[in-house]
Amino acid sequence: MKTRKQWWLDQGLTEENIEFEYVTGDDLAHYSKSTVDILYKFPHGFEELEGVANRTDYDLGSHTKAQEEFGLSAKVKKNEHSTSKLAVRDLEANKWEVPFCIEPSAGLDRGLLAVMTEAYTEEELENGSTRTVLKFKPHLAPIKVAIMPLKKNKPEIVALAKELKNKLQKLGLGRILYENTGNVGKGYRRHDEVGTPICVTVDFDSIEKEGAPVTVRDRDTMEQIVVNAADLPAYVVNYFINQD
C-alpha cells in the first residue's frame, strides 16, 4: 500500500487527498485475504482510485499441476490439465510453495481525472488578471517544451527556432512543439493551460548576439532565464531529470 500510494504521489496527487479504505464482509472477493481501496478526493467527494488485493495462492494454485502437494490456502477448482509446477522452493523449509499474488488494479479514466483535477490551478497575478495552469508533473505533460519565435516573419529567427525544436526532439523526452503564433504572451498562456513545463523564446538577441541566447520560461514560477542555444539541450535534460 505504501508503494502504490507513493506511485500516485509521484504522479502529482497530494497526501491530503488520498485515503485508504479496507474492504470487509460480503464486499471482500472470495479469493481475497485482504483488499484495500485507495480513495481520491475528487470535486464530488472521495471515490475509489485503485484497489489492491491479496489474492493469496488462488491464481497460481488454480493453474498449477499437482495441486494436492502444496497445501493451498485458497479454495480452487481441480486442475487436471496443467503441465507446469507454479511454485518456488523454500530452501530453509526444504519444500515447494505456491506464491501469493498481490494485485493492484487501477482505473485509467479515473486516474487521469485525478491527475487533471490535482493539476488544474487558477492563479491571480500581480496585475489583477488570472491565469489557468495545468501543473502536470513534467513526465506527464503532453508537450514537454514549446519553441516560440518572437517574429514569425523574420526568417533568421524562424530558422533558429526550428533548428532548436529539431535538436530537442531528438533528445527523446517527448513532444517538442514549434509554436509560431507570433505573440509570445498569448503563447505562454496557451501553454500554461495545456501544462507545458518550459517555453523557449527565440528573439533578436538570439540571432544578433554571440552564443545565440534564448529565453527559457518556467511554467510554474513564470521565471525567465537566458541560456545560450548550444547549452539548451543539456539544460532541458537536466530540468526534466531534477523535476521528476
Side-chain angles (χ1 to χ4, degrees):
M1 294 307 302
K2 290 181 180 178
T3 299
R4 293 304 305 143
K5 180 180 180 181
Q6 185 57 53
W7 187 87
W8 285 109
L9 295 177
D10 291 343
Q11 309 319 308
L13 305 192
T14 49
E15 187 109 26
E16 58 268 23
N17 288 333
I18 295 177
E19 287 186 358
F20 290 165
E21 181 176 77
Y22 289 80
V23 180
T24 59
D26 293 339
D27 293 330
L28 196 64
H30 69 89
Y31 53 75
S32 175
K33 181 179 181 180
S34 177
T35 296
V36 183
D37 289 338
I38 300 177
L39 308 181
Y40 177 73
K41 189 178 182 181
F42 291 96
H44 54 272
F46 277 98
E47 190 173 317
E48 180 186 343
L49 188 62
E50 174 180 337
V52 183
N54 178 354
R55 298 173 64 100
T56 70
D57 50 16
Y58 175 80
D59 298 286
L60 296 179
S62 294
H63 296 284
T64 189
K65 70 176 184 179
Q67 293 166 311
E68 66 282 353
E69 296 179 10
F70 300 118
L72 298 174
S73 63
K75 297 179 71 174
V76 299
K77 292 181 180 180
K78 191 173 183 180
N79 189 334
E80 298 178 345
H81 305 289
S82 177
T83 59
S84 300
K85 181 185 287 188
L86 304 182
V88 293
R89 186 95 175 162
D90 184 337
L91 298 179
E92 293 185 4
N94 193 30
K95 66 177 183 178
W96 289 91
E97 291 187 349
V98 176
F100 281 18
C101 287
I102 308 299
E103 177 199 32
S105 179
L108 176 60
D109 289 348
R110 64 187 63 186
L112 178 60
L113 178 58
V115 169
M116 293 188 70
T117 298
E118 196 79 53
Y120 183 85
T121 308
E122 291 183 350
E123 295 179 344
E124 184 173 343
L125 305 179
E126 292 181 357
N127 61 7
S129 64
T130 59
R131 72 166 184 148
T132 300
V133 193
L134 278 180
K135 294 189 176 183
F136 288 129
K137 289 283 190 176
H139 69 277
L140 293 179
I143 301 171
K144 305 304 181 188
V145 182
I147 307 291
M148 303 179 181
L150 182 65
K151 293 287 185 179
K152 62 181 180 179
N153 57 357
K154 185 71 173 175
E156 298 92 332
I157 291 179
V158 170
L160 179 56
K162 290 182 176 180
E163 177 187 340
L164 292 175
K165 185 265 184 187
N166 292 333
K167 284 184 177 180
L168 296 185
Q169 192 69 68
K170 291 177 181 178
L171 296 175
L173 296 171
R175 186 182 182 194
I176 310 298
L177 185 72
Y178 173 69
E179 177 70 65
N180 66 340
T181 59
N183 187 312
V184 173
K186 289 182 178 179
Y188 286 161
R189 289 291 175 265
R190 181 178 294 108
H191 284 278
D192 287 345
E193 290 177 354
V194 299
T196 306
I198 296 176
C199 288
V200 177
T201 300
V202 180
D203 56 22
F204 287 98
D205 284 349
S206 306
I207 60 173
E208 295 172 356
K209 290 188 176 181
E210 184 178 354
V214 296
T215 301
V216 180
R217 179 206 186 245
D218 182 271
R219 176 197 67 200
D220 296 339
T221 65
M222 295 188 291
E223 292 181 355
Q224 300 182 19
I225 65 169
V226 175
V227 177
N228 285 342
D231 299 328
L232 185 62
Y235 175 89
V236 170
V237 169
N238 186 61
Y239 174 89
F240 280 94
I241 290 175
N242 289 333
Q243 290 294 315
D244 283 338

